[in-house]
Amino acid sequence: MFQQILDPIGGSLLLSALCAALPLVLLFVLLGVFRVKAPKAALASLLVSLLLALIGWQMPLGQALSATAAGIFYGLFPILWILANALWIYKLTVATPWFEALGRTIRSISDDLRILSILIAFCFGALLESLAGFGAPVAISAAMLMAAGMKPLKSAVVSLLANTAPVAFGAMAAPIVALNGVTGLPLHDLSAMAGRQTPFIALIVPLLLVFIVDGRRGVKQAWPVALVAGTAFAASQFVTSNYFAVELTDVVAAVVTVAAVLVMLRFWKPKETIGMAGGAESGAEEAVPANVRQGALADRTSTTAVSRTSAAAAASGPAAVGTASDGSTAPTDNTRPEPRHIWMAIAPYLIIITVFSIAQIPAVKSWLNQVGTVTFHWPGLDITDSAGKPVAATKFKLDHLKATGTLLLFSGLITMALYRITAGQGWRIYRETLVQLRWTIVTVTSVLALSFVMNLSGQTTTLGFALASAGGFFAVLSPLIGWIGVALTGSDTSSNSLFGQMQATAAQQTGLSPVLMAASNSSAGVMGKMLSLQNLAVASAAVGLDGSEGTLFRKLIGWSVGLLALITVLILLQSTPVLGWMVP
């Protein structure tokens, strides 16, 4: 048996905490200062953590290696099992004409760039975030906005800012699942808590988007549709995460928001339409009176031609989107597809909703709980905390049939049948998905292994006790920690894996709710997503402005810090009797 030591370095909690922070400091320095690739940085930090566990915290070698293996396995299943199958479904749609039909459907709704920024970057981006992630929402949204006539730099800024509210529940709620795995806190409580924080950001983001597109005039003229979009998304996110299925939060929110905006546009339109004047070469945006608009968007030229092929490229990595070699621009097809084509285009998302809804039927859910999961003690781990109580993380709950990734796999097979994709094609696309994720697999498994080693050796507990000395002020530090984690790692899942247990431990010691502080790591962390080097690079490449990461960073830092301050105030109030009733 191994009993964790709270202050193993010189008997000093402060000195021990400084040593425990070394793997995290190394990770951030390698990523943020030296710009080392994430897989190498994660592996280096894991090695340092293992050395500290063995030498400093006196963890037996066998248990340290077993903890590493447990982290790697948890990274593979359920986290990467979710990500791989979600991205596979997305790539199935890209491999057919139906993805382009979905894009045409969205672009045909309006020729106002303010409304399109909401529909494409906010709604469609959330739908992509729920499945693909890894920069695909930013890359594809930016490309589609350029196709609609928006300037490249502005397209990138809008897409990056919009990719905030859905991130906490992205990739079928992988960040919340990871948080549950490292903290042992109930998944439903974490989901409900995050669902009582991020909706407040969702309310504001559409208004920020129309302001970025058209300044004060945009807010003055388009605030009704921005308010409807924000309210619909926020309400759907709250209801789904609290009372339905956390995995479907972003899917439901995106679909409901699109429907709400479509209904509103039947009865209301802005006084002016903000489009492009003088063609793509002039690049000047102007207001065109609504009563003199002519024809559909098919008659307009765009800054670039974005086809289904370019969308596929964006999904597989940073995609450069530019004009033709002669400087000319190609017309983009923005005509509305036939109703049957529209239904086929949205079919994968409807299939996912249906499959997960069936899994929530009481009889089916009960059966899945009986046959679809198994709990066992991870071999080689026999650990107690510093007080002599068994550490919960030594028990492993493996969902197989009821796992989110398995339900996604079933949804993908149904999608293949509907789209008449052969087994050979489906396997080829799945293999391509795994190849695309190969470095992500290394990064995620390394980060989860680092997290498990730090948690089980006692390093995280030492950090948590040290941070607890901040007392009630920790409610202010907690969101900042999450924000820094996502900004540097580029992943809310990684940030939750690294800091989730530390947040929960510090919360317990300060008398705060562990659920509140752990969820805050995720909810506040998403504000840092727009500043992560990975996302900035994807956005720069997607709009054909390689090397503009610094410019994008400067344009977004104010919005990111402002939103962080807003949610920090909310979290601080939730830690007090003022809004404490919101905590599950």
Side-chain angles (χ1 to χ4, degrees):
M1 179 181 293
F2 165 63
Q3 183 172 5
Q4 296 175 349
I5 308 172
L6 192 59
D7 51 357
I9 310 300
S12 168
L13 180 62
L14 176 60
L15 187 59
S16 300
L18 291 175
C19 290
L22 286 177
L24 303 178
V25 173
L26 176 64
L27 179 65
F28 292 162
V29 170
L30 290 177
L31 287 173
V33 179
F34 296 102
R35 299 193 178 187
V36 174
K37 295 295 184 181
K40 294 181 180 179
L43 286 171
S45 299
L46 171 60
L47 179 60
V48 171
S49 180
L50 278 170
L51 291 175
L52 285 171
L54 295 172
I55 300 173
W57 274 256
Q58 301 174 31
M59 189 179 195
L61 176 61
Q63 300 222 39
L65 294 178
S66 182
T68 304
I72 292 174
F73 186 82
Y74 189 82
L76 292 172
F77 204 98
I79 304 300
L80 287 166
W81 182 235
I82 295 173
L83 300 181
N85 288 312
L87 186 57
W88 174 58
I89 293 176
Y90 167 73
K91 291 175 75 69
L92 287 175
T93 66
V94 172
T96 69
W98 303 118
F99 183 85
E100 174 60 19
L102 181 60
R104 284 170 50 204
T105 301
I106 294 174
R107 294 194 299 268
S108 69
I109 294 172
S110 173
D111 53 0
D112 191 310
L113 292 180
R114 298 168 300 191
I115 295 175
L116 287 176
S117 69
I118 293 174
L119 286 172
I120 293 175
F122 186 66
C123 300
F124 189 50
L127 203 58
L128 292 174
E129 180 67 36
S130 70
L131 292 181
F134 301 107
V138 171
I140 296 173
S141 296
M144 291 177 68
L145 287 172
M146 288 179 64
M150 190 176 290
K151 295 177 182 178
L153 190 63
K154 187 169 289 187
S155 298
V157 171
V158 167
S159 298
L160 285 165
L161 182 60
N163 192 225
T164 50
V167 170
F169 297 98
M172 306 306 286
I176 304 298
V177 173
L179 199 58
N180 161 252
V182 298
T183 64
L185 296 171
L187 178 64
H188 178 267
D189 288 352
L190 293 170
S191 168
M193 190 67 254
R196 300 174 193 186
Q197 294 171 336
T198 57
F200 290 94
I201 300 301
L203 276 171
I204 300 172
V205 169
L207 287 168
L208 298 182
L209 297 182
V210 298
F211 178 80
I212 291 174
V213 172
D214 194 33
R216 294 182 179 178
R217 178 181 61 181
V219 176
K220 183 179 179 180
Q221 295 183 358
W223 70 263
V225 69
L227 185 61
V228 167
T231 302
F233 195 95
S236 302
Q237 203 173 48
F238 167 74
V239 172
T240 308
S241 62
N242 277 264
Y243 304 110
F244 187 38
V246 58
E247 299 88 354
L248 291 179
T249 299
D250 282 346
V251 177
V252 172
V255 172
V256 169
T257 306
V258 169
V261 171
L262 291 180
V263 170
M264 183 177 186
L265 291 178
R266 286 181 173 271
F267 305 99
W268 172 92
K269 292 186 184 299
K271 293 181 179 179
E272 294 177 305
T273 297
I274 305 303
M276 293 293 293
E281 292 181 343
S282 69
E285 296 173 3
E286 71 169 12
V288 183
N291 59 355
V292 299
R293 280 179 287 165
Q294 299 179 2
L297 283 173
D299 298 326
R300 294 167 51 207
T301 58
S302 66
T303 312
T304 183
V306 182
S307 64
R308 178 171 61 85
T309 304
S310 66
S316 61
V321 180
T323 57
S325 58
D326 60 357
S328 63
T329 57
T332 302
D333 185 5
N334 293 320
T335 55
R336 185 185 295 272
E338 299 176 7
R340 185 180 70 85
H341 292 171
I342 294 176
W343 282 110
M344 287 292 288
I346 65 175
Y349 308 101
L350 297 178
I351 289 171
I352 290 172
I353 293 175
T354 302
V355 169
F356 278 83
S357 298
I358 292 173
Q360 294 301 313
I361 296 174
V364 177
K365 187 175 183 179
S366 177
W367 179 77
L368 287 174
N369 284 332
Q370 291 177 358
V371 304
T373 184
V374 60
T375 301
F376 60 94
H377 188 91
W378 187 264
L381 291 180
D382 189 5
I383 301 173
T384 61
D385 61 20
S386 56
K389 298 179 181 179
V391 175
T394 57
K395 290 186 177 180
F396 203 95
K397 182 181 179 183
L398 175 63
D399 293 332
H400 41 86
L401 189 59
K402 66 169 288 189
T404 299
T406 305
L407 297 179
L408 284 172
L409 179 63
F410 292 153
S411 301
L413 294 174
I414 297 172
T415 300
M416 283 179 56
L418 179 66
Y419 283 171
R420 298 182 180 180
I421 297 175
T422 65
Q425 290 175 311
W427 170 243
R428 178 181 57 79
I429 295 173
Y430 202 103
R431 189 170 62 248
E432 291 174 355
T433 302
L434 294 179
V435 171
Q436 177 185 332
L437 289 175
R438 62 190 183 279
W439 293 116
T440 300
I441 292 172
V442 175
T443 301
V444 171
T445 53
S446 299
V447 167
L448 263 299
L450 167 64
S451 173
F452 269 62
V453 170
M454 290 189 66
N455 291 344
L456 292 172
S457 67
Q459 296 171 52
T460 300
T461 303
T462 299
L463 276 173
F465 271 79
L467 287 172
S469 60
F473 187 70
F474 182 71
V476 176
L477 291 177
S478 175
L480 180 62
I481 292 170
W483 180 78
I484 293 173
V486 176
L488 289 175
T489 65
S491 166
D492 201 37
T493 301
S494 296
S495 179
N496 286 347
S497 300
L498 287 172
F499 296 130
Q501 181 59 39
M502 183 183 70
Q503 297 268 24
T505 300
Q508 289 175 336
Q509 297 304 311
T510 55
L512 298 171
S513 166
V515 170
L516 171 62
M517 294 297 99
S520 298
N521 190 84
S522 187
S523 300
V526 302
M527 311 311 161
K529 181 96 173 188
M530 67 182 84
L531 301 180
S532 69
L533 291 175
Q534 296 93 317
N535 253 20
L536 291 174
V538 168
S540 298
V543 297
L545 296 175
D546 293 311
S548 62
E549 291 88 350
T551 302
L552 289 173
F553 181 88
R554 289 189 294 273
K555 287 184 173 294
L556 288 164
I557 181 66
W559 297 114
S560 180
V561 172
L563 290 173
L564 173 65
L566 180 65
I567 200 167
T568 298
V569 171
L570 173 65
I571 292 167
L572 180 61
L573 291 176
Q574 288 176 334
S575 70
T576 68
V578 177
L579 293 180
W581 52 269
M582 297 180 68
V583 180

